[in-house]
């Protein structure tokens, strides 16, 4: 790569001989390699600054089509479909598809469909046979044209080849250069600082100093940036603290099926406990430490009922409750906290919340991930009603800035009544489910030892969907995962509700 001084000399020499450089993209350095336009820009800026004005330059922006690595290979060796045709011997028998794949590998699979589409080959039984005597590899021809000219006369060809990831559009920046008012072949080196030697010799009196640019910005310090999710998470936490909630400890991603499902009065044959919906651990696979008496009461209410319920009427098995899983909701933590509350000598009303990761074996799409954050709140007191829950939901979401809410009756094994919470998403143009809510059932609370008069209202919602609504993100995969735009994370302001 040429140095700045070498590039400056190259530019001045050409200008001295020709007067102008119409386009610097045609420049060739002393090592016969193309000149790096970004490095050249540094040389031009140095020659054109106010105290030099040796050259003048203007930027030229062009869009050209460039072949990908695969496109270059096809331009050199032929297309996949042409390779398939060439591999088929002349004659009635042709070649077996399996044999073709052994010869060409992955190329056979890619080129076979195109060869059929071009009507170059036909299938007879398990064999491929030539349908024409000869072919014209138009794909290769088109790619050679693009490589040599940077474009193609037919936009449809460019669209098709881009779709096949054989070429792509690139922006190319170059410069037109002309002589400045102070043009010279000699570059006078400017002094940056007054040195001890200058003071001793008196050279500082006649030296040509480089001017300071007092308008230049300093280099911004590089530092970490909060992800939009973390910004919204902190806002949620502050809302909860403002409303008098206590944060629950959620530092265990691995949970037993007992606390995740059984303690919540969720039957062992429930579909949510299937491997299609839950991630199970292999090693260690089980947990054996549970409160003995509480375990017996949970088994009883599942099997034969109690506390005004007939139960589910099935043979409850400890083996199912022992299985270790990645928790599917933070309600497992809420259940454990409520059990501890029940063990206190005197009941006191509590308000708990948690915000942490949960895991579901779900298909990833625009609004679902296999791993997401759940926001959960729990209020335990005597005499609470569904009206209290609805009123609290409106207050809570209003503090978030989300006012367009709908509630829909729903079913949950551990809450009755239950409601789904919806908010209108302007970007998606539809109502999006924000979360679930309800009142914990007596079959869940009373086996813990809580007073029958104690009522618990609870709700859970994903952190991702409110974040998508606040930041106008339409696809959850643009918020988390490999498609995240890091520039967005750096530029987005703190999200204030």
């Amino acid at each position: 790569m040429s140095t700045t001084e070498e590039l400056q000399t190259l530019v001045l020499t050409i200008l001295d001989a020709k007067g102008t450089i119409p386009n610097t993209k045609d420049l060739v350095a002393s090592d016969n390699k193309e000149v790096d336009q970004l490095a050249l820009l540094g040389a031009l800026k140095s020659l054109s600054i106010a105290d030099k004005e040796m050259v003048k330059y203007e930027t030229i922006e062009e869009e050209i089509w460039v072949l990908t690595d695969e496109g270059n290979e096809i331009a050199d060796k032929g297309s996949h479909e042409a390779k398939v045709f060439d591999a088929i011997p002349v004659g009635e028998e042709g070649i077996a598809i399996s044999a073709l794949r052994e010869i060409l590998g992955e190329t056979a699979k890619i080129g076979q469909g195109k060869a059929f589409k071009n009507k170059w080959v036909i299938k007879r039984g398990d064999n491929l046979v030539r349908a024409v005597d000869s072919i014209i590899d138009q794909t290769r021809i088109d790619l050679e044209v693009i490589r040599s000219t940077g474009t193609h006369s037919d936009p449809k060809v460019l669209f098709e080849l881009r779709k096949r990831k054989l070429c792509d559009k690139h922006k190319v920046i170059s410069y037109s250069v002309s002589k400045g008012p102070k043009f010279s072949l000699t570059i006078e080196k400017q002094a940056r600082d007054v040195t001890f030697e200058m003071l001793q010799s008196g050279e500082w009196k006649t030296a040509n100093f480089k001017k300071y640019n007092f308008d230049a910005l300093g280099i911004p310090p590089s530092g970490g940036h909060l992800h939009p999710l973390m910004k919204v998470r902190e806002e949620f936490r502050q809302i909860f603290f403002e409303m008098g909630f206590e944060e629950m400890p959620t530092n265990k991603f691995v949970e037993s099926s007992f606390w995740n499902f059984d303690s919540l009065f969720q039957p062992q044959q429930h579909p949510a406990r299937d491997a299609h919906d839950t991630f199970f651990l292999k090693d260690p696979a089980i947990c054996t430490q549970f409160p003995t008496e509480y375990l017996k009461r949970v088994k009883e209410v599942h099997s034969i009922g109690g506390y005004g319920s007939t139960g589910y009427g099935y043979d409850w098995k400890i083996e199912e409750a022992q299985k270790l899983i990645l928790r599917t909701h933070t309600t497992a933590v809420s259940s454990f906290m409520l059990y501890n509350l029940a063990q206190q000598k005197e009941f006191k009303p509590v308000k708990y919340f948690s915000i942490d990761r949960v895991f579901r074996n779900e298909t990833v799409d625009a609004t679902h991930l296999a791993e997401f954050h759940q926001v959960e709140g729990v209020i335990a007191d005597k005499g609470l009603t569904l009206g209290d829950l609805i009123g609290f939901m409106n207050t809570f979401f209003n503090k978030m800035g989300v006012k367009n809410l709908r509630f829909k009756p729903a079913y949950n094994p551990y809450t009755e009544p239950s409601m789904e919470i919806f908010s209108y998403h302007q970007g998606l143009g539809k109502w999006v489910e924000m979360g679930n809510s309800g009142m914990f059932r007596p079959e869940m609370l009373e086996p813990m030892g809580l007073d029958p008069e104690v009522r618990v209202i609870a709700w859970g919602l994903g952190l991702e969907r409110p974040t998508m609504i606040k930041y106008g993100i339409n696809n959850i995969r643009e918020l988390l995962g490999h498609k995240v735009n890091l520039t967005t994370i750096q530029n987005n302001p703190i999200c204030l509700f």
Side-chain angles (χ1 to χ4, degrees):
M1 183 177 178
S2 301
T3 64
T4 301
E5 290 77 11
E6 289 173 336
L7 290 172
Q8 288 174 339
T9 302
L10 176 65
V11 169
L12 294 175
T13 303
I14 295 173
L15 286 176
D16 185 51
K18 298 183 178 181
T20 62
I21 303 174
N23 197 323
T24 57
K25 72 176 183 180
D26 301 321
L27 287 184
V28 178
S30 56
D31 54 3
N32 292 324
K33 292 183 179 179
E34 290 185 3
V35 170
D36 184 329
Q37 297 297 313
L38 188 59
L40 179 63
L41 176 61
L44 293 175
K45 283 184 175 180
S46 178
L47 291 172
S48 63
I49 55 178
D51 52 351
K52 284 186 180 177
E53 295 183 332
M54 297 176 70
V55 302
K56 295 185 292 184
Y57 71 93
E58 293 181 358
T59 303
I60 301 171
E61 290 189 8
E62 296 177 282
E63 285 190 338
I64 65 169
W65 288 84
V66 179
L67 301 192
T68 62
D69 291 342
E70 186 181 358
N72 276 310
E73 185 179 351
I74 290 175
D76 291 334
K77 300 178 182 178
S79 66
H80 301 300
E81 52 268 34
K83 289 178 182 178
V84 168
F85 181 84
D86 292 339
I88 300 173
V90 178
E92 295 289 326
E93 294 185 6
I95 188 172
I97 295 174
S98 57
L100 182 67
R101 288 179 179 173
E102 287 181 12
I103 296 170
L104 298 179
E106 192 67 22
T107 298
K109 189 186 294 185
I110 300 170
Q112 192 174 311
K114 284 287 181 183
F116 277 124
K117 185 178 179 180
N118 293 342
K119 298 182 180 180
W120 292 351
V121 300
I122 57 174
K123 187 177 179 183
R124 286 184 184 164
D126 293 329
N127 287 15
L128 290 180
V129 180
R130 290 189 178 191
V132 293
D133 295 329
S134 62
I135 61 168
I136 296 174
D137 191 354
Q138 192 61 43
T139 300
R140 181 179 186 177
I141 294 170
D142 291 335
L143 289 172
E144 287 174 339
V145 170
I146 293 170
R147 185 161 65 179
S148 61
T149 64
T151 187
H152 196 285
S153 59
D154 189 347
K156 291 182 179 179
V157 171
L158 292 170
F159 176 80
E160 182 63 28
L161 293 177
R162 188 182 199 178
K163 188 177 177 182
R164 292 177 65 180
K165 297 182 179 179
L166 301 179
C167 67
D168 204 356
K169 188 184 288 186
H170 284 203
K171 181 182 283 188
V172 176
I173 296 177
S174 55
Y175 309 93
S176 64
V177 189
S178 60
K179 292 180 179 180
K182 297 181 182 179
F183 177 80
S184 170
L185 288 175
T186 305
I187 303 172
E188 184 181 356
K189 193 168 184 179
Q190 294 176 308
R192 294 175 180 268
D193 297 294
V194 177
T195 64
F196 173 76
E197 289 78 10
M198 286 181 178
L199 293 174
Q200 287 286 86
S201 64
E203 185 187 345
W204 63 272
K205 296 177 182 178
T206 57
N208 182 12
F209 286 98
K210 181 179 177 68
K211 292 183 179 179
Y212 283 104
N213 182 4
F214 293 104
D215 295 325
L217 296 175
I219 300 173
S222 178
H225 300 272
L226 283 176
H227 190 282
L229 267 180
M230 296 301 99
K231 296 174 186 176
V232 176
R233 179 181 184 272
E234 186 56 31
E235 288 296 325
F236 271 106
R237 291 182 76 243
Q238 294 308 316
I239 290 172
F240 276 118
F241 288 138
E242 180 187 322
M243 300 180 76
F245 279 74
E246 176 187 345
E247 190 165 14
M248 294 185 282
T250 55
N251 53 352
K252 293 194 303 180
F253 289 166
V254 175
E255 191 59 84
S256 69
S257 292
F258 176 79
W259 288 109
N260 198 86
F261 296 122
D262 295 275
S263 66
L264 304 179
F265 195 56
Q266 190 157 330
Q268 293 185 338
Q269 65 272 24
H270 194 280
R273 301 179 68 155
D274 190 80
H276 292 295
D277 292 291
T278 303
F279 294 107
F280 289 86
L281 268 67
K282 287 186 177 180
D283 185 21
I286 63 170
C287 171
T288 57
Q289 297 178 353
F290 307 106
T292 307
E293 293 302 317
Y294 177 45
L295 184 77
K296 290 179 181 178
R297 294 195 293 270
V298 170
K299 176 180 179 179
E300 185 176 323
V301 76
H302 276 253
S303 303
I304 61 175
Y307 316 102
S309 170
T310 59
Y312 292 115
Y314 70 96
D315 184 17
W316 187 89
K317 296 180 180 179
I318 184 65
E319 292 80 10
E320 284 294 322
Q322 290 175 336
K323 291 180 180 178
L324 287 175
I325 62 170
L326 292 180
R327 65 182 180 209
T328 61
H329 48 195
T330 51
T331 316
V333 182
S334 301
S335 177
F336 182 75
M337 293 294 289
L338 290 172
Y339 170 76
N340 287 338
L341 176 67
Q343 309 316 303
Q344 304 299 319
K345 291 182 180 179
E346 182 181 352
F347 172 78
K348 293 181 179 180
V350 295
K351 294 193 283 188
Y352 294 137
F353 84 93
S354 64
I355 308 173
D356 213 334
R357 270 187 271 183
V358 296
F359 308 86
R360 306 271 178 89
N361 195 358
E362 291 190 350
T363 302
V364 175
D365 60 26
T367 56
H368 294 85
L369 291 175
E371 173 187 343
F372 58 96
H373 292 75
Q374 182 174 338
V375 181
E376 177 153 340
V378 172
I379 300 177
D381 201 355
K382 294 181 180 180
L384 292 175
T385 66
L386 187 65
D388 294 310
L389 176 59
I390 293 174
F392 181 83
M393 285 291 94
N394 281 311
T395 303
F396 179 77
F397 279 97
N398 276 339
K399 286 181 176 290
M400 288 169 48
V402 178
K403 298 181 180 180
N404 208 356
L405 291 181
R406 281 182 180 176
F407 299 94
K408 175 184 173 184
Y411 168 75
N412 285 315
Y414 44 90
T415 57
E416 181 59 41
S418 307
M419 299 183 300
E420 291 175 345
I421 310 161
F422 288 83
S423 175
Y424 191 77
H425 191 302
Q426 294 289 347
L428 295 177
K430 65 178 182 179
W431 290 89
V432 177
E433 183 184 349
M434 297 280 283
N436 241 309
S437 64
M439 302 185 69
F440 283 146
R441 296 172 66 112
E443 297 97 322
M444 171 188 164
L445 300 177
E446 293 189 36
M448 295 177 177
L450 286 169
D451 189 311
E453 293 184 8
V454 172
R455 300 285 183 268
V456 180
I457 59 175
W459 64 97
L461 57 138
L463 184 64
E464 285 76 5
R465 290 184 188 176
T467 305
M468 290 170 67
I469 291 172
K470 296 303 292 185
Y471 283 95
I473 297 171
N474 296 337
N475 191 326
I476 197 169
R477 288 164 291 193
E478 294 174 7
L479 183 66
L480 285 170
H482 66 283
K483 293 185 177 181
V484 171
N485 185 344
L486 296 180
T487 305
T488 301
I489 294 175
Q490 294 173 359
N491 293 343
N492 268 331
I494 296 293
C495 185
L496 298 174
F497 289 113

